Amino acid sequence: MNQELVGPPRSTRRFSAQFSPTPRGARLARLLATERLHAWGLPPDPARLVVAELAANAATHGRVPGRDFRLALHATAESLRIEVTDTCPEGLPRPVRLPQAAAESGRGLLLVEALADRWGVTEGPVPRKTVWAELDLATAAAREPVHR
């Protein structure tokens, strides 16, 4: 009789850390997320770009003096969920639209929308909001560039 050996289901891998709402904190969030993805054996792109945009938004638009933002990564065999939580309930992300050509900002969520398979915002508990993005790992692997 042929039997297929099936191992236990892979558990969810989790990472969470708090960062100062500054450009330096956003950069550190991207670097630590990249290291965690590498440790988990997951491709860094496009996840590190999504982390960079969400963390930069938290440091720029979600900044409340004296309060940090939190980055959380949740990986299963099928998907990676990126969450960035800040304590500024105002400034919820607006529907993505193309900014003026001369605008120096306003393209970050366009990038997140293009790279993520799903994204959104969850409000609460007050005063928090979490902007999240999900990447299907099979799709992310297909997007990974081949280096020759």
Side-chain angles (χ1 to χ4, degrees), residues 50-82:
V50 172
V51 169
E53 288 302 327
L54 296 182
N57 283 351
T60 303
H61 306 294
R63 182 179 185 162
V64 174
R67 295 186 182 169
D68 294 340
F69 73 88
R70 181 178 57 86
L71 167 69
L73 304 175
H74 309 278
T76 66
E78 297 81 27
S79 67
L80 172 67
R81 183 176 174 99
I82 300 161

Side-chain angles (χ1 to χ4, degrees), residues 11 15 31-32 49 56 73 79 83 87 98 103 111 128 134 140 148:
S11 63
F15 169 80
L31 292 172
L32 288 177
L49 299 172
L73 304 175
S79 67
E83 298 177 345
T87 57
L98 198 56
L111 182 61
R128 295 188 271 283
E134 292 181 343
R148 295 176 195 218

Side-chain angles (χ1 to χ4, degrees), residues 75-100:
T76 66
E78 297 81 27
S79 67
L80 172 67
R81 183 176 174 99
I82 300 161
E83 298 177 345
V84 174
T85 303
D86 66 51
T87 57
C88 182
E90 301 87 39
L92 291 175
R94 293 188 289 274
V96 178
R97 59 184 168 88
L98 198 56
Q100 299 274 334

